[in-house]
Amino acid sequence: MQLSNEEEDYNLSLSKFESMLKTDTVLFFDSEEFEEIILHYLDMGKAALAKKALKLALDQHPKSTGLKLVQVEMLVYDDKLDLAEKLLNELYAIEPTNEEIFIQKANIYSKRDQHNKAVELLKTALEYTDDYADVYNLIGMEYLFMDNFEMAKQSFIKCLEEDLDDQSALYNVVYCFEFLDQNLEAIMYLNKYIDKNPYSEIGWHQMGRLYYGVKDYDNAIRAFDYATLIDDEFLGAFMERAKAFERLNKYQEAIESYKRTIELDDATSYALLRIGKCYEKLGNKVLALKYYNDTVHEDPLLDKGWIAITDFHVRQKDFQKALFNVNKALAIDNQNRLYWKRYASINKQMNFFEEAEFGYRKAVEFGDHGLDTWLFWVDTLQFLGEFESAIQTLLQASEYFPEENEVEYRLAGLYFMIQDNKKAKFHLSNAMRLNFDNYILIEDMFPVVWKKKMVQNYIAKHTKE
C-alpha cells in the first residue's frame, strides 16, 4: 500500500528524531514536526520520549504557541493542573482568539470535575474554531460526565451535522437515545442520517440494533444486511444478524450468519453455542451435540455450554450424562439456583432422592422461591420420610405463598401423618376454602391419611356447608 506524502514526511520525521537520539547529534525540526513527534509518543504511552522531544522543541522554538499548547497537554497528562492553567493564561494574553487555549482550559476544568465551566469554555471555543465537529464532540462528552443525556445527544447531533463520518459521535448519539429510552426516535434519526450518509456501515449496524431492541426483527435483518454489504468483514453485524434470524425461527439462516463470524475471526464459544442450539431446533441432534462439545472445548469455563449439554441429554432422557454435565456447570458456578434445580430434577429422575432434596434446598438457598421448587423439595422430603423437615419447609413457603391451596393441603396431610390433628384440620379447612376441588391432593399424596374416617367426615362436612 502506497503511503501519502504526509505519511511519508511523518515517518521520516520520526526516523530522523530517533536517529538523532541514538547519535547524540542535534538536528533541526520545524515546530509542527515536533508537535507531531511529541503527540505520537504521548499516544504510544511513551511519556519519557515525549518529554525529551518537548524539551528539544522548546529549545529550538521557544516562542511557538503550538508547542506550548502541547506542553500544556503534557502538564495535564501529569496532573499538574495549576502549572498548565498558569501557562494557558500567559498564552491567552498573547493569543486571546486561539480556540485551543479554551479547549485546554476546558480540559483542566473537566479534570477538576467542574464540567459546567468546561462547557462554557468550549462554547467560547466555538466562536473561534474552524473544527466545529471536534468542539461539539467535546461538549457532548462534558454533558455525559454530568449525566445530562438530552444535552449530550443534541451536541453529538450537531457534531454529526458538521462531520457525518465521526464514528465516536454516532455511537454516542445512539447511546444517549437508548439511555433516554427513545429507541423509536433514534431509528427516525438514523433514517435521516443514512439518507445523508448511505454507505455508513456503523449507521446501518446501529439501526439494526435499535430495530432488534424494539423486536422488529425483519427490519433489523435488513439493516444488518446493508451493514455487511458495505463491509463484508463486519463481524458484529453478522453476529447481530444471526441473533435476529434466531428470533424469527430462521435457524438455517442464523447458522450461516454465525458461521460467517467464525470465518472472520477465531471461533467464539458464544457463536458455537448458538449454532448448537439452532441445529437442535432443526432436529439435527448429531450436529447440535457436536457444536455443544466444541463450545466447552473452546471455553471449558463457560457454564452455559455445560448446561446446554445437560439440557440436551435431559431431552434425550439420558440422565446419567446430564448429571455429569450439570456437575461440570456447578463446579464453575455453584451459586446458580437454576443449575441446582436442574441437578435436583435430574437426581429425582434417577431416584436419587437424597441428592434431589439437597439440590432443591440449594436452589431455594440461592434465591429460587418459585412455588414449584418449594413443592418439589417438600415432596422429596416427604418421600424420604422427613415429615418434620417437610412441614418446616412448607411453613417457609407459606411466607411467600400465604394463600396457596397446594401448600395448605400438603401441610394438612403432613400434620395428619404426625398425628397433630388440630393443626391438620386447620390447614385442611384453609385449603378447601381456597380450592375445594383440589382435595384429591390428599388422596393422591397421602393415601394413608385419605383412608382415615375422620378425614373423610371432615371433607364431607365441608361439602354440606
Side-chain angles (χ1 to χ4, degrees):
M1 187 175 74
Q2 198 147 9
L3 294 174
S4 68
N5 289 337
E6 279 185 17
E7 286 172 318
E8 281 184 10
D9 291 344
Y10 174 64
N11 288 336
L12 278 171
S13 297
L14 272 175
S15 301
K16 182 177 155 189
F17 180 77
E18 288 178 0
S19 169
M20 181 183 81
L21 292 179
K22 287 173 189 170
T23 56
D24 254 359
T25 54
V26 177
L27 301 174
F28 181 82
F29 296 84
D30 68 38
S31 61
E32 286 185 5
E33 280 183 294
F34 265 127
E35 283 180 43
E36 287 179 353
I37 290 165
I38 296 161
L39 292 172
H40 166 79
Y41 287 130
L42 277 179
D43 289 342
M44 298 288 289
K46 296 179 178 179
L49 278 173
K51 285 174 184 175
K52 191 174 282 191
L54 178 64
K55 185 178 181 307
L56 288 166
L58 288 171
D59 286 345
Q60 290 187 11
H61 306 281
K63 293 184 179 178
S64 166
T65 302
L67 285 170
K68 285 180 179 176
L69 283 165
V70 172
Q71 186 180 9
V72 167
E73 271 193 63
M74 291 186 65
L75 288 168
V76 172
Y77 180 83
D78 288 336
D79 269 339
K80 295 176 180 175
L81 304 184
D82 291 339
L83 274 174
E85 191 170 24
K86 185 182 174 191
L87 183 52
L88 281 172
N89 288 336
E90 291 170 8
L91 290 171
Y92 176 74
I94 301 164
E95 293 189 26
T97 60
N98 185 327
E99 80 275 12
E100 194 61 35
I101 292 170
F102 295 100
I103 290 169
Q104 290 302 332
K105 273 200 170 189
N107 191 18
I108 290 169
Y109 279 113
S110 184
K111 285 260 186 180
R112 290 172 174 159
D113 289 330
Q114 293 175 282
H115 302 294
N116 276 317
K117 285 188 177 178
V119 168
E120 286 173 26
L121 285 159
L122 289 168
K123 284 180 178 176
T124 305
L126 280 173
E127 297 171 20
Y128 303 113
T129 189
D130 293 326
D131 189 356
Y132 294 104
D134 184 48
V135 179
Y136 279 126
N137 208 346
L138 292 170
I139 292 171
M141 292 307 298
E142 292 304 318
Y143 280 124
L144 281 184
F145 290 136
M146 291 187 276
D147 291 336
N148 189 336
F149 292 92
E150 186 58 46
M151 290 303 292
K153 180 183 78 177
Q154 297 306 324
S155 300
F156 292 127
I157 286 172
K158 285 177 182 174
C159 171
L160 287 165
E161 285 168 0
E162 298 293 332
D163 179 5
L164 280 172
D165 296 319
D166 191 320
Q167 292 186 2
S168 70
L170 184 57
Y171 279 118
N172 280 327
V173 79
V174 173
Y175 170 73
C176 291
F177 272 118
E178 287 185 295
F179 191 91
L180 294 164
D181 200 20
Q182 297 173 347
N183 283 24
L184 294 175
E185 292 90 334
I187 289 168
M188 287 169 62
Y189 172 77
L190 282 174
N191 271 307
K192 289 176 187 172
Y193 172 83
I194 285 168
D195 283 344
K196 295 177 191 170
N197 193 8
Y199 295 103
S200 167
E201 71 275 24
I202 304 297
W204 284 111
H205 175 248
Q206 292 299 300
M207 186 185 286
R209 280 185 57 257
L210 288 159
Y211 274 125
Y212 186 94
V214 297
K215 300 183 179 179
D216 185 346
Y217 303 118
D218 287 310
N219 271 320
I221 289 165
R222 183 181 65 86
F224 293 136
D225 280 342
Y226 278 114
T228 56
L229 281 169
I230 296 162
D231 179 358
D232 63 0
E233 295 187 357
F234 196 158
L235 190 146
F238 280 108
M239 186 70 81
E240 300 280 355
R241 181 169 168 258
K243 287 161 63 179
F245 275 128
E246 265 199 89
R247 292 288 186 177
L248 292 172
N249 301 329
K250 295 182 176 180
Y251 300 112
Q252 193 57 53
E253 293 91 334
I255 288 167
E256 288 165 15
S257 213
Y258 282 127
K259 283 185 175 177
R260 180 67 179 134
T261 70
I262 293 170
E263 290 169 14
L264 291 170
D265 201 0
D266 293 337
T268 63
S269 54
Y270 177 81
L272 293 168
L273 178 61
R274 297 317 309 172
I275 292 171
K277 286 187 179 286
C278 288
Y279 273 123
E280 191 172 1
K281 292 282 187 182
L282 289 169
N284 192 329
K285 294 171 187 174
V286 174
L287 280 176
L289 189 56
K290 174 198 176 299
Y291 276 96
Y292 289 150
N293 285 325
D294 287 349
T295 301
V296 294
H297 178 76
E298 178 66 31
D299 184 359
L301 293 178
L302 183 72
D303 47 329
K304 288 184 175 67
W306 294 109
I307 284 296
I309 301 174
T310 300
D311 291 344
F312 176 86
H313 287 305
V314 166
R315 285 188 282 272
Q316 306 311 307
K317 301 196 183 310
D318 189 340
F319 299 111
Q320 192 68 51
K321 286 180 180 174
L323 185 59
F324 172 82
N325 286 286
V326 80
N327 276 320
K328 287 277 192 181
L330 283 166
I332 297 162
D333 181 1
N334 69 354
Q335 295 187 11
N336 189 307
R337 62 184 186 273
L338 299 175
Y339 299 175
W340 280 115
K341 189 170 180 178
R342 281 177 173 85
Y343 171 87
S345 175
I346 293 162
N347 275 293
K348 189 179 176 188
Q349 288 287 345
M350 299 172 75
N351 296 325
F352 298 157
F353 292 101
E354 287 185 3
E355 290 82 355
E357 186 276 323
F358 177 75
Y360 289 127
R361 179 158 27 107
K362 296 298 276 185
V364 170
E365 181 185 325
F366 290 118
D368 184 348
H369 298 139
L371 178 62
D372 62 335
T373 307
W374 287 106
L375 298 182
F376 284 141
W377 183 13
V378 167
D379 295 347
T380 308
L381 284 166
Q382 182 194 335
F383 182 86
L384 291 168
E386 297 182 25
F387 301 137
E388 292 284 359
S389 293
I391 287 168
Q392 291 308 311
T393 302
L394 278 170
L395 291 172
Q396 272 183 273
S398 68
E399 292 176 19
Y400 294 92
F401 302 96
E403 292 284 288
E404 177 52 58
N405 74 89
E406 291 205 39
V407 171
E408 293 296 317
Y409 276 118
R410 281 172 172 80
L411 277 169
L414 286 162
Y415 276 123
F416 277 126
M417 292 293 286
I418 63 168
Q419 311 298 321
D420 191 336
N421 294 338
K422 184 179 177 184
K423 286 182 181 175
K425 287 177 180 177
F426 170 78
H427 287 288
L428 183 56
S429 178
N430 268 349
M432 290 189 291
R433 173 180 60 81
L434 293 165
N435 185 343
F436 176 76
D437 293 337
N438 221 10
Y439 70 79
I440 55 166
L441 267 177
I442 298 290
E443 183 179 4
D444 291 343
M445 300 191 67
F446 304 93
V448 175
V449 170
W450 177 255
K451 288 174 185 173
K452 289 185 178 184
K453 202 161 190 178
M454 170 183 58
V455 174
Q456 294 284 342
N457 290 340
Y458 197 78
I459 293 172
K461 181 185 168 192
H462 194 280
T463 309
K464 287 171 189 174
E465 290 173 0

